[in-house]
């Protein structure tokens, strides 16, 4: 089965940085578009960043634009999310997911990781 495993979460102060990783197995990683989402209950899960199959195209949710950077290494079957200038409102569980198309829609992502916690304090 396809498996996505996130790592790299943790606790940081406002203004700090973290780099999340998502390792994929059991599928053709280089054929997938990849995305990062986050959820901080009771809010619904929201789109954070997306990247095309080759990594040439990236796109971001408005709340993180200019602060976060998504990238991928197809040789390592891994997608990354570099988070800079973190704010308390970035606190959430972050999930990676795969899709057959470039999209911000949760409904079009097929496989999901278990999530990794990011906590930002002032």
């Amino acid at each position: 089965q396809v498996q996505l495993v996130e790592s790299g979460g943790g606790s940081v102060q406002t203004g700090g940085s973290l780099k999340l990783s998502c390792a994929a197995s059991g599928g053709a990683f280089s054929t997938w578009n990849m995305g990062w989402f986050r959820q901080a209950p009771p809010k619904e899960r929201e789109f954070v960043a997306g990247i095309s199959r080759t990594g040439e195209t990236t796109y971001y949710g408005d709340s993180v634009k200019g602060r976060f950077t998504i990238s991928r290494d197809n040789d390592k079957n891994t997608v990354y999310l570099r988070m800079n200038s973190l704010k308390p409102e970035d606190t959430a569980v972050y999930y990676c997911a795969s899709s057959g198309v470039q999209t911000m829609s949760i409904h079009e992502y097929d496989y999901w990781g278990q999530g990794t916690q990011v906590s930002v304090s002032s």
Side-chain angles (χ1 to χ4, degrees), residues 51-118:
I51 189 167
S52 64
R53 294 155 64 180
T54 63
E56 294 181 348
T57 303
T58 59
Y59 43 101
Y60 301 89
D62 289 340
S63 62
V64 306
K65 195 172 300 180
R67 299 187 297 121
F68 291 10
T69 303
I70 188 171
S71 61
R72 67 191 296 162
D73 186 339
N74 286 350
D75 290 336
K76 296 182 178 180
N77 289 351
T78 302
V79 63
Y80 306 94
L81 184 68
R82 182 70 189 184
M83 304 182 293
N84 294 328
S85 301
L86 284 163
K87 307 173 182 179
E89 50 263 45
D90 295 318
T91 296
V93 176
Y94 284 71
Y95 301 88
C96 68
S98 64
S99 176
V101 296
Q102 296 180 52
T103 179
M104 296 184 292
S105 175
I106 294 173
H107 309 293
E108 297 186 48
Y109 283 81
D110 304 312
Y111 300 102
W112 294 81
Q114 84 290 344
T116 186
Q117 177 71 49
V118 172

